[in-house]
């Protein structure tokens, strides 16, 4: 019979990552270029020394965030890939190959909540620093920029009055069951049928019948709200548990289609806003507005994202310049000389209006500025890549903080992708040069 191995014997069977990976791989080169000490200093500022389990290494956390948004992975898929991929483990600071996760998947959620937008923006700052040190972007590329806005949609179902009302009934009845509040009647069966019939009657253009079923739903929601309010009256603990959901349910019951002002479009994400960007395929999008800044020039390493910020309240595009440009200058350390925007930025609030050029502008336009104005549209494919390849198409993070964090992480993940290609092409050029010099001269 084989004898069980102790811990010292287990160490002998562990495989060093240096022995099984290609040290000339672009991900290995990128790991060598990132200033992990700088990230550790910023990330460790949110950790408190005290009792309990020590926090994860900051390089592991930063590496996981970069890999997640660079390769468009969910938290679960990232954990699966990390165990399988030795390059992922090396990038996150591991020395030997690990066959199990050194962290729990929920650790990613807790670290995002702990760091917040301000600390996570360090990843975007470091991506630009690496690009500058590697020669992929120059200082002049940071001085002339193009600004545009897009919509980061939230992971919610398309909101309709019937769906929201039915969902409010379901959530109130479920919470009452969990808290031990016995209702006179739940209306779950009849509410489900009414919600289905609203959709069927609307599809058949039988709007009078659809309105009748919607009124039935709202009446039942009102009965559930009043029943719960009577049962929890005088109980502060239950008041705290039911209060937020009851407020949302009352707003859902009373809001109308043509009503002005903020509305509820999702019960689990009440911060969602309805934004119309004038697109034929998507007249309305539900999420929040995001400002994206890229160079108006053509950097050697590709089109990088210089700044990304989620803006709540659906502000007019021109009102976003004043808060965005100072943050950009603080992030890059370079003063902006020229700002290019589309016609949505007319009437902007930036103090130095002579630095801003709007599409279609004729006055003060020189030949060099006209060339830059023709490159303003280069921001559009960047926005497309951010959405389709780096998790900004549909945001699954919770709350307004989740909106802001996801926008910054998507920009950082996007920036590290062209850096991988840059290091791969640089390595290929060095190998070609080495081989040409090592070959014997035919003469």
């Amino acid at each position: 019979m084989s004898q069980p191995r102790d811990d010292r014997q287990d160490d002998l069977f562990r495989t060093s990552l240096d022995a099984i990976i290609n040290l000339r791989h672009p991900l290995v080169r990128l790991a060598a270029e990132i200033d992990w000490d700088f990230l550790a200093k910023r990330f460790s500022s949110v950790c408190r020394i005290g009792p309990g389990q020590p926090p994860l290494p900051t390089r592991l956390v930063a590496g996981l965030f970069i890999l997640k948004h660079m390769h468009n992975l969910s938290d679960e898929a990232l954990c699966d890939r990390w165990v399988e991929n030795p390059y992922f483990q090396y990038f996150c600071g591991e020395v030997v190959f690990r066959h199990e996760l050194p962290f729990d998947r929920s650790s990613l959620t807790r670290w995002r909540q702990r760091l917040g937008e301000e600390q996570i923006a360090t990843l975007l700052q470091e991506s630009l620093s690496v690009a500058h040190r590697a020669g992929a972007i120059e200082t002049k590329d940071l001085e002339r920029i193009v600004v545009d806005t897009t919509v980061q949609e939230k992971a919610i179902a398309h909101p309709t009055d019937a769906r929201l009302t039915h969902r409010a009934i379901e959530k109130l009845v479920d919470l009452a069951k969990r808290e031990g509040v016995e209702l006179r009647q739940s209306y779950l069966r009849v509410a489900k049928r009414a919600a289905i019939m609203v959709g069927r009657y609307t599809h058949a253009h039988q709007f009078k019948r659809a309105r009748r079923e919607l009124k039935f739903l709202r009446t039942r929601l009102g009965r559930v709200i009043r029943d719960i309010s009577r049962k929890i009256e005088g109980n502060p603990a239950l008041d705290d548990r039911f209060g937020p959901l009851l407020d949302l349910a009352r707003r859902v019951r009373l809001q109308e289609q043509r009503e002005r002002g903020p509305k509820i479009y999702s019960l689990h994400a009440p911060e969602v806003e309805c934004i119309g960007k004038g697109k034929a395929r998507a007249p309305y999008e539900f999420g929040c507005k995001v400002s994206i800044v890229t160079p108006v020039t053509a950097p050697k390493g590709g089109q990088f994202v210089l700044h990304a910020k989620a803006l709540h309240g659906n502000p007019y595009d021109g009102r976003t310049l004043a808060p965005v440009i100072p943050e950009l200058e603080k992030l890059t350390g370079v003063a902006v000389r020229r700002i290019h925007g589309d016609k949505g930025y007319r009437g902007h609030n930036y103090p130095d209006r002579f630095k801003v050029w709007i599409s279609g502008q004729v006055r003060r336009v020189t030949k060099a500025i006209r060339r830059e104005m023709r490159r303003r549209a280069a921001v559009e494919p960047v926005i497309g890549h951010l959405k389709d390849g780096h998790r900004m198409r549909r945001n699954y993070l919770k709350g307004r903080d989740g909106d802001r964090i996801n926008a910054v992480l998507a920009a950082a993940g996007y920036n590290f992708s062209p850096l991988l290609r840059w290091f791969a092409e640089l390595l290929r050029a060095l190998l070609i040069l080495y081989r040409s010099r090592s070959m014997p001269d035919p003469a």
Side-chain angles (χ1 to χ4, degrees):
M1 293 179 62
S2 60
Q3 296 296 325
R5 298 193 303 266
D6 57 15
D7 293 340
R8 288 176 295 179
Q9 287 175 324
D10 284 339
D11 292 338
L12 298 176
F13 287 90
R14 292 181 180 175
T15 307
S16 173
L17 285 174
D18 293 344
I20 62 176
I21 65 173
N22 177 13
L23 295 177
R24 293 181 294 186
H25 191 276
L27 202 58
V28 176
R29 179 69 189 275
L30 178 60
E33 293 291 334
I34 295 176
D35 188 354
W36 298 107
D37 293 335
F38 170 68
L39 295 178
K41 183 179 178 181
R42 293 293 298 272
F43 281 20
S44 60
S45 63
V46 300
C47 298
R48 298 186 182 91
I49 305 299
Q53 185 176 355
L56 295 175
T58 51
R59 174 168 177 175
L60 173 62
V61 175
L64 288 171
F65 286 153
I66 292 171
L67 292 171
K68 171 185 169 66
H69 286 266
M70 188 164 55
H71 296 284
N72 193 12
L73 301 172
S74 65
D75 288 352
E76 292 82 359
L78 175 65
C79 294
D80 295 338
R81 287 275 296 273
W82 194 92
V83 174
E84 301 168 354
N85 197 322
Y87 290 99
F88 278 23
Q89 297 189 18
Y90 181 89
F91 185 78
C92 293
E94 296 295 333
V95 179
V96 297
F97 186 78
R98 304 193 63 153
H99 298 274
E100 72 288 332
L101 284 172
F103 58 93
D104 188 73
R105 186 203 61 80
S106 59
S107 299
L108 295 171
T109 302
R110 295 191 182 95
W111 269 98
R112 278 191 294 259
Q113 295 171 347
R114 181 186 298 177
L115 291 170
E117 180 192 16
E118 183 179 356
Q119 304 300 333
I120 287 180
T122 312
L123 295 176
L124 179 59
Q125 184 179 5
E126 182 59 22
S127 69
L128 296 174
S129 299
V130 172
H132 194 270
R133 291 194 297 267
I137 192 171
E138 300 178 7
T139 304
K140 65 178 183 180
D141 299 320
L142 306 176
E143 297 174 345
R144 293 166 290 176
I145 61 170
V146 53
V147 186
D148 201 3
T149 60
T150 186
V151 178
Q152 177 180 243
E153 294 188 76
K154 199 79 167 182
I156 65 169
H158 184 78
T160 62
D161 290 335
R163 179 181 283 128
L164 286 171
T165 308
H166 178 228
R167 189 66 182 140
I169 294 173
E170 286 185 328
K171 291 179 79 71
L172 283 172
V173 171
D174 180 63
L175 182 58
K177 188 180 297 184
R178 283 189 278 115
E179 295 296 329
V181 177
E182 187 174 351
L183 299 179
R184 185 178 56 181
Q185 189 173 345
S186 68
Y187 303 105
L188 288 179
R189 182 179 58 83
V190 292
K192 181 178 180 180
R193 182 188 178 280
I196 292 173
M197 296 310 297
V198 170
R200 291 181 179 179
Y201 286 142
T202 304
H203 181 72
H205 287 204
Q206 299 177 6
F207 298 112
K208 189 173 182 180
R209 291 178 172 177
R211 285 193 295 270
R212 185 177 62 205
E213 295 293 339
L214 180 59
K215 182 180 179 181
F216 177 89
L217 271 174
R218 285 176 170 163
T219 302
R220 268 59 192 176
L221 176 59
R223 290 183 183 180
V224 173
I225 291 173
R226 291 190 295 273
D227 194 11
I228 291 176
S229 300
R230 285 192 296 267
K231 299 289 176 58
I232 67 173
E233 190 176 3
N235 191 329
L238 289 178
D239 241 353
D240 293 339
R241 291 286 293 132
F242 281 91
L245 184 56
L246 282 174
D247 290 341
L248 290 176
R250 291 188 183 102
R251 291 177 62 184
V252 166
R253 179 173 173 267
L254 296 176
Q255 66 187 13
E256 297 290 341
Q257 182 181 4
R258 305 293 179 183
E259 180 183 327
R260 304 285 293 181
K263 294 183 182 179
I264 300 298
Y265 298 102
S266 173
L267 291 170
H268 76 271
E271 72 277 359
V272 166
E273 301 153 3
C274 179
I275 302 172
K277 297 287 281 185
K279 301 175 184 175
R281 59 176 177 80
Y284 300 102
E285 296 171 294
F286 300 93
C288 70
K289 188 171 283 191
V290 177
S291 173
I292 303 295
V293 180
T294 64
V296 78
T297 56
K300 296 178 182 178
Q303 206 72 16
F304 291 89
V305 176
L306 305 182
H307 184 264
K309 185 176 182 63
L311 304 162
H312 294 95
N314 191 12
Y316 169 63
D317 286 0
R319 298 293 180 265
T320 63
L321 274 185
V324 164
I325 301 303
E327 288 188 15
L328 168 66
E329 293 177 338
K330 181 181 178 181
L331 190 71
T332 61
V334 178
V336 175
R337 290 175 52 193
R338 285 202 285 267
I339 305 166
H340 294 271
D342 58 18
K343 292 184 179 180
Y345 285 86
R346 288 178 296 189
H348 59 83
N349 60 349
Y350 190 63
D352 194 347
R353 64 186 184 89
F354 293 107
K355 287 185 177 181
V356 183
W357 275 264
I358 307 298
S359 294
Q361 182 174 333
V362 178
R363 293 182 179 180
R364 304 185 295 115
V365 176
T366 63
K367 188 178 292 185
I369 294 175
R370 190 174 292 112
R371 273 198 307 270
E372 292 178 0
M373 292 174 73
R374 283 198 294 267
R375 275 198 51 82
R376 190 211 62 81
V379 70
E380 302 297 343
V382 173
I383 292 174
H385 286 303
L386 281 170
K387 289 189 172 185
D388 292 331
H390 303 280
R391 304 190 67 76
M392 211 173 79
R393 169 72 63 189
R394 195 169 175 84
N395 177 27
Y396 294 89
L397 305 186
K398 185 179 179 181
R400 295 194 170 190
D401 290 337
D403 294 336
R404 291 188 282 264
I405 289 170
N406 192 70
V408 176
L409 284 174
Y414 171 86
N415 282 354
F416 282 110
S417 294
L419 283 174
L420 276 185
R421 295 192 296 270
W422 175 261
F423 288 129
E425 293 171 2
L426 186 62
L427 179 61
R428 193 178 301 116
L430 291 174
L431 287 175
I432 293 173
L433 181 62
Y434 173 76
R435 289 171 183 170
S436 64
R437 289 185 176 182
S438 61
M439 291 178 62
D441 190 357

